[in-house]
Amino acid sequence: MTAFNVVRFKIKPGMESAFLDAHRGIAGNWPGLRNANIIKTGDSRYCIIAEWDSMDAIGAARPQMIATLDSFRATLEDLGNGLGVTDPVSGPVALVVK
């Protein structure tokens, strides 16, 4: 069953290019990743939305996701409220609207 993961980020000033560069080319390297998009949600704020073949594919890719995060962790600001530098969620598709 198709699944998605979504992660919010706040980028340090002047680090947006480094953040985006760290994500270039990941789709070809992660089995089960159908597509991924990074959207700009505000000043220095971004969200990645990725579609996967299944929750198992997300779980199997977790080491690669952590390694990628480690490669750009220095570009991130703490989100506050005890979240740290990321706010991730994931789950299976509950309803296909279109």
Side-chain angles (χ1 to χ4, degrees), residues 31-33 52-62 65:
L33 178 61
W52 297 81
D53 289 340
S54 65
M55 287 300 295
D56 288 340
I58 293 174
R62 190 159 283 118
M65 287 189 270

Side-chain angles (χ1 to χ4, degrees), residues 13-86:
M15 301 298 288
E16 292 183 30
S17 291
F19 167 76
L20 294 171
D21 287 345
H23 291 88
R24 297 189 196 284
I26 63 170
N29 300 326
W30 296 6
L33 178 61
R34 294 182 179 181
N35 62 67
N37 294 279
I38 296 177
I39 58 173
K40 187 167 185 166
T41 60
D43 288 340
S44 300
R45 295 188 181 266
Y46 288 84
C47 183
I48 188 168
I49 301 170
E51 181 180 13
W52 297 81
D53 289 340
S54 65
M55 287 300 295
D56 288 340
I58 293 174
R62 190 159 283 118
Q64 292 167 294
M65 287 189 270
I66 292 168
T68 300
L69 172 61
D70 288 343
S71 77
F72 67 86
R73 189 178 298 273
T75 71
L76 303 177
E77 286 193 17
D78 192 290
L79 294 169
N81 296 320
L83 291 173
V85 295
T86 64

